[in-house]
Amino acid sequence: MISLKEIAKQCGVSVATVSNIINGKTNVGEETRARILKVIEETGYAPNYMARGLRATKTQTIGLIIDDITSFGTPDLIEGIMGYFEKTGNKVVFENLRVYSKWPADYQNGTEAFVKAVNAAISQLLAIKVDGIIYISAHGRVINYVSNFTSVPFVICYGSSDVPDVPYVCIDDVKSSYDLVEYLISEGMTKFGVIASSKANIHGKERLDGYKMAMEKNNIAIDEKYIVIGKWDRKTGYECCAELFEKGFHNESGKKVIFCFNDLMAAGVYDYLNEKNIKIGEEISVVGFDDREIAAFVNPPLTTMAIPLHEIGTKSAEMLVNKINGTELEKNNFSIPCRLIKRKSV
């Protein structure tokens, strides 16, 4: 592979000038810059960041440990992280744990085999001298199983931790659910069916807390029989809607809404209501959560809460860089609320 010195010789400039161009410095004329960039492109030159790191205190390399790259929110989290690191000149390497295919029953509880895999991933990243590590959770959960975490700065993205001094960024499910219910009440809703999840799931527990807080604040009675438990998929959304109907929800007086804790369950509710020829958004309103792609394409389009995945990723990267640089963090963790997306299902 061509060297920096050979690039400089071919362009008739000093090695320092080529280095300034690569590092984005502006003290080089435009004609010279264009000539150097053209040669770099033609020769396929790539800086040897690892070799550079061995000569410096820092490698400008960040490690990502990803629960599962197939998780619906992970690409947007990574996009936020990568966008920030591009601006700071950091390179990224990652370890994908593939929890959904390899550890479906183990990863949430931090079993011994899974923890061993996580620590092996950390060891791999430390071996190439990363400056810091971001752990990207597949969904919100408490991550306490990494022994003393690492010898480099460490941030949890889209999860949380009870370990002191471990920064994390997650979504504010309580406030987001509260805000959604407040909006529904402002639209005249008085009868709520809720398709929730097991309280063992942090998202499910906190979304239910937010729902109850808003109802109590507005002095609207909570009917526990209309809170049913789904499994985050379309099939159980359908089944839970049928259960609500069996309990008489559709016969209640007043404006009715079914609050689904994610958009896939809401799609299942659509399936059931369409079978019953019930007009969604007129006879019964439906709302979801997450703002997945399906929300914009069901008929009518689904009102939902958009998770700020890009912002969570960006904030995680910012916190890690501050820790690497020794900058005191404003605070050690952030919970970022979701954004209401109003569509035609209300």
Side-chain angles (χ1 to χ4, degrees):
M1 186 174 70
I2 193 168
S3 68
L4 193 71
K5 187 175 181 180
E6 289 168 327
I7 291 281
K9 183 177 180 181
Q10 190 170 330
C11 294
V13 297
S14 68
V15 171
T17 299
V18 178
S19 179
N20 285 341
I21 293 292
I22 292 171
N23 289 297
K25 296 183 179 178
T26 58
N27 58 340
V28 180
E30 285 304 315
E31 183 180 340
T32 302
R33 179 187 302 275
R35 186 168 75 255
I36 293 171
L37 289 175
K38 185 172 185 294
V39 172
I40 288 173
E41 183 179 359
E42 289 173 348
T43 58
Y45 171 76
N48 187 339
Y49 287 98
M50 291 309 301
R52 179 187 299 175
L54 294 174
R55 297 191 300 269
T57 305
K58 297 174 184 175
T59 64
Q60 291 291 103
T61 304
I62 303 298
L64 304 184
I65 297 177
I66 303 169
D67 263 351
D68 201 305
I69 206 164
T70 67
S71 179
F72 92 91
T74 298
D76 283 339
L77 293 170
I78 293 174
E79 180 66 21
I81 290 168
M82 294 297 295
Y84 188 88
F85 286 144
E86 284 177 6
K87 293 177 182 177
T88 58
N90 293 99
K91 300 300 174 182
V92 172
V93 294
F94 70 85
E95 294 277 339
N96 180 24
L97 298 175
R98 297 172 55 222
V99 297
Y100 291 149
S101 58
K102 294 178 67 176
W103 314 98
D106 300 335
Y107 79 96
Q108 294 194 63
N109 299 320
T111 60
E112 184 178 348
F114 176 65
V115 170
K116 185 176 179 180
V118 173
N119 284 312
I122 290 174
S123 295
Q124 290 286 339
L125 295 174
L126 295 179
I128 60 173
K129 301 185 183 300
V130 295
D131 294 330
I133 295 173
I134 296 178
Y135 190 111
I136 303 176
S137 180
H139 59 80
R141 69 184 200 282
V142 180
I143 298 171
N144 291 334
Y145 45 71
V146 182
S147 178
N148 297 320
F149 286 85
T150 74
S151 57
V152 297
F154 191 100
V155 172
I156 294 173
C157 174
Y158 203 49
S160 61
S161 178
D162 294 332
V163 177
D165 301 322
V166 173
Y168 63 83
V169 187
C170 60
I171 68 174
D172 191 336
D173 276 304
V174 175
K175 185 178 189 311
S176 301
S177 179
Y178 179 93
D179 289 346
L180 176 56
V181 175
E182 281 275 283
Y183 163 69
L184 294 171
I185 293 170
S186 75
E187 291 294 306
M189 303 297 160
T190 58
K191 299 297 179 181
F192 284 74
V194 178
I195 300 181
S197 75
S198 165
K199 291 182 180 179
N201 182 289
I202 289 177
H203 296 300
K205 177 187 179 302
E206 294 189 347
R207 289 173 194 178
L208 187 61
D209 289 345
Y211 158 73
K212 289 185 174 182
M213 285 171 57
M215 296 288 279
E216 289 166 2
K217 183 230 175 186
N218 288 278
N219 297 313
I220 299 176
I222 297 170
D223 195 332
E224 295 288 343
K225 75 172 179 285
Y226 293 144
I227 300 175
V228 295
I229 305 302
K231 295 181 180 178
W232 303 106
D233 59 23
R234 188 168 187 163
K235 179 175 180 290
T236 57
Y238 178 97
E239 293 167 350
C240 288
C241 189
E243 183 179 345
L244 288 172
F245 272 50
E246 288 168 8
K247 293 177 176 180
F249 177 74
H250 58 301
N251 292 322
E252 293 283 349
S253 60
K255 293 187 73 173
K256 294 181 282 291
V257 60
I258 299 176
F259 174 15
C260 305
F261 280 14
N262 80 345
D263 297 334
L264 295 181
M265 292 194 292
V269 170
Y270 270 54
D271 295 336
Y272 186 86
L273 295 180
N274 286 331
E275 278 187 12
K276 299 296 182 182
N277 295 314
I278 292 173
K279 294 180 180 178
I280 298 168
E282 296 180 28
E283 296 175 70
I284 297 179
S285 294
V286 181
V287 296
F289 215 103
D290 294 345
D291 196 30
R292 298 184 71 158
E293 191 173 69
I294 194 173
F297 295 109
V298 291
N299 184 28
L302 178 67
T303 293
T304 186
M305 297 296 283
I307 300 175
L309 296 165
H310 192 279
E311 185 179 351
I312 290 170
T314 300
K315 189 65 180 179
S316 301
E318 178 191 342
M319 291 175 76
L320 186 69
V321 168
N322 283 338
K323 280 185 69 70
I324 291 169
N325 292 335
T327 304
E328 185 175 350
L329 299 181
E330 177 186 344
K331 56 183 181 178
N332 221 36
N333 57 75
F334 288 84
S335 297
I336 303 177
C338 301
R339 178 169 55 91
L340 175 64
I341 306 295
K342 299 178 184 179
R343 296 193 178 102
K344 300 296 184 180
S345 65
V346 175

